Amino acid sequence: MNAGGVIRSPIAAVVRQHADDAAALRVVRSVLVRAPHVRLRHLARLDERIAAHLDGLAVAGTSGTAVCTAALDSPGPGQVFAAAIRAIEDRDDRSLHRLIALSVAVLDCRRGLVSAFGWASAATLRGLVQSLLAAKDPEACALGLAACRLHRVDPGSLLRRALDGDALVTQEEALRTASMIGRTDCLDGARRALSGPQPSATAGAVAACLLGDRGDALAHLQGLVGAGTASEPVLCLAILASSHDWSRSTLRKLVDAGRGGVAANRRAIRAAGWSGDVAAIPWLLAQLADDQVSRLAAESVSLITGVDLAALGLERKPPSLAGAGDSGGDEAAVGIADDESLPWPDPERVNAWWRANADRMPAPVLLLGGVPGRQQCELVLRDGLQRQRLIAAVRLKLFEPEAAMFNVAAPSWRQQRLLSAP
């Protein structure tokens, strides 16, 4: 409405731009929450931009909703995210159920739908999540559980009911939710999943391990590592939850396997960083001479010791593009994106730094130069980079299985509120 009291219609091009930018930035965010160079303050700036575009769509009213709905003709996670936010804020059950059906038909879209429930405020979701949890449709119930998981809210008795139900989609989401919110009373249900088919057995092992099982559940994860079939998250959890002796023995095997190719070597380098084992530093330093893995090796050195290459002038100029980091044409096979935005280390300077500081390392296992106890993990959650913060969150969860795991992918203002709480 202008000064004369005349109601003006939203400008269509502006509304479309809001929708396009909200969708695109949501996809960018899904990358940044796992990025090696992003801190919480960087995530906060991006979140402010996303919130501004979502506010623009809300102010546009029905026009904003219509534009988001039309964008679903070419659906992706970003388009579904924007449309779901509008459906949540409009309390539009019909649109939400259409989005649920779309997320079943186009699996990539489910990430956008779930993330919208993680983004929305608890007040906006009040009543809506309860109706999803009570729904007969397993997909709707699973979405309600995912919302509880992302907000670290206990769904009560419905969680055990979903865990014991027949629908695989709700069972697996119930396992994830129970582990993330610390429902240790669901540990028996997670253990039962161990005897089921894959991927439920691994989901049960992960959940049970996070809920405190260091017996059969951890043995299941260690078995996957030994068989070479463990995903990176499973490998990481197994290393963090296992004894120092097992982790060191496993790391030796990974290093041996890494001699057979770049992809396996990169896996060993990542595992060395997760382990926090100071004894792995000399081997990691030797990897700095290989452009295909040097940035990843430097990241693992930083994860263990806390050294900041940029702040201490331990970087070098990137090598010439020809042949640098060449993966033989198979970038996906070696996870070349893991290197993106990492600094190029200067091997001589980094080695010199280590020679000058090796005797100052306070323990055989470290996280950013400190003993990885609760205090150090909380410090990393406040000030660390996203991949470092995730390791800190997992370590904290392993200390206290009954506690909720800190969500390093939550909206930045929610994370900041939790970190500032006494």
Side-chain angles (χ1 to χ4, degrees), residues 86-352:
R86 294 302 327 124
I88 290 169
E89 294 185 351
D90 291 341
R91 314 296 289 185
D92 187 343
D93 289 341
R94 290 185 62 187
S95 293
L96 274 178
H97 283 283
R98 284 197 295 269
L99 288 169
I100 292 172
L102 177 61
S103 72
V104 175
V106 185
L107 293 181
D108 195 42
C109 291
R110 190 176 190 275
R111 295 185 292 114
L113 178 58
V114 171
S115 66
F117 276 79
W119 179 277
S121 69
T124 306
L125 295 174
R126 191 166 293 123
L128 176 58
V129 171
Q130 285 91 329
S131 66
L132 290 171
L133 291 171
K136 294 181 179 179
D137 177 12
E139 295 288 347
C141 182
L143 179 59
L145 289 170
C148 292
R149 168 172 57 84
L150 293 173
H151 284 266
R152 304 306 195 245
V153 171
D154 192 339
S157 61
L158 287 168
L159 182 59
R160 292 186 71 103
R161 193 182 311 166
L163 195 59
D164 296 334
D166 297 327
L168 188 61
V169 65
T170 53
Q171 286 177 352
E172 292 186 359
E173 187 55 66
L175 288 169
R176 287 190 289 268
T177 302
S179 63
M180 290 297 102
I181 67 175
R183 279 284 297 271
T184 52
D185 62 304
C186 294
L187 182 53
D188 287 343
R191 286 172 174 151
R192 285 195 298 274
L194 288 171
S195 60
Q198 292 289 16
S200 295
T202 297
V206 168
C209 185
L210 290 173
L211 290 172
D213 188 328
R214 299 297 181 270
D216 291 344
L218 182 55
H220 182 97
L221 300 180
Q222 291 173 341
L224 294 175
V225 173
T229 57
S231 65
E232 283 209 346
V234 166
L235 173 59
C236 180
L237 178 58
I239 286 174
L240 293 178
S242 297
S243 68
H244 182 53
D245 287 343
W246 184 90
S247 296
R248 179 169 286 184
S249 173
T250 298
L251 186 56
R252 291 194 190 102
K253 294 174 184 176
L254 291 171
V255 169
D256 288 341
R259 296 189 179 97
V262 177
N265 196 31
R266 292 168 72 88
R267 186 176 175 88
I269 288 169
R270 295 289 301 276
W274 299 329
S275 75
D277 194 341
V278 175
I281 296 291
W283 175 75
L284 288 170
L285 293 175
Q287 308 308 305
L288 300 183
D290 183 351
D291 286 346
Q292 295 183 96
V293 298
S294 62
R295 288 181 291 174
L296 210 57
E299 183 191 24
S300 286
V301 171
S302 295
L303 182 57
I304 298 170
T305 67
V307 61
D308 186 329
L309 270 64
L312 296 178
L314 305 180
E315 297 176 283
R316 65 182 171 100
K317 293 182 179 179
S320 61
L321 295 179
D326 183 14
S327 61
D330 188 5
E331 293 185 353
V334 298
I336 207 72
D338 287 344
D339 292 332
E340 200 166 333
S341 301
L342 284 172
W344 286 94
D346 184 304
E348 290 186 9
R349 293 177 185 173
V350 177
N351 274 277

Side-chain angles (χ1 to χ4, degrees), residues 360-377:
R360 304 177 188 175
M361 297 296 114
V365 175
L366 299 174
L367 174 64
L368 266 65
V371 178
R374 290 176 178 82
Q375 184 176 2
Q376 181 68 3
C377 289

Side-chain angles (χ1 to χ4, degrees), residues 326-413:
D326 183 14
S327 61
D330 188 5
E331 293 185 353
V334 298
I336 207 72
D338 287 344
D339 292 332
E340 200 166 333
S341 301
L342 284 172
W344 286 94
D346 184 304
E348 290 186 9
R349 293 177 185 173
V350 177
N351 274 277
W353 177 88
W354 174 247
R355 288 193 296 272
N357 290 274
D359 293 339
R360 304 177 188 175
M361 297 296 114
V365 175
L366 299 174
L367 174 64
L368 266 65
V371 178
R374 290 176 178 82
Q375 184 176 2
Q376 181 68 3
C377 289
E378 290 170 356
L379 178 65
V380 175
L381 285 175
R382 287 194 297 272
D383 302 327
L385 299 162
Q386 279 297 110
R387 291 212 292 232
Q388 298 168 349
R389 298 178 75 229
L390 179 58
I391 299 300
V394 175
R395 283 193 177 277
L396 271 179
K397 175 63 177 172
L398 292 171
F399 289 140
E400 298 180 349
E402 71 283 359
M405 181 170 163
F406 192 91
N407 185 2
V408 300
S412 53
W413 53 84

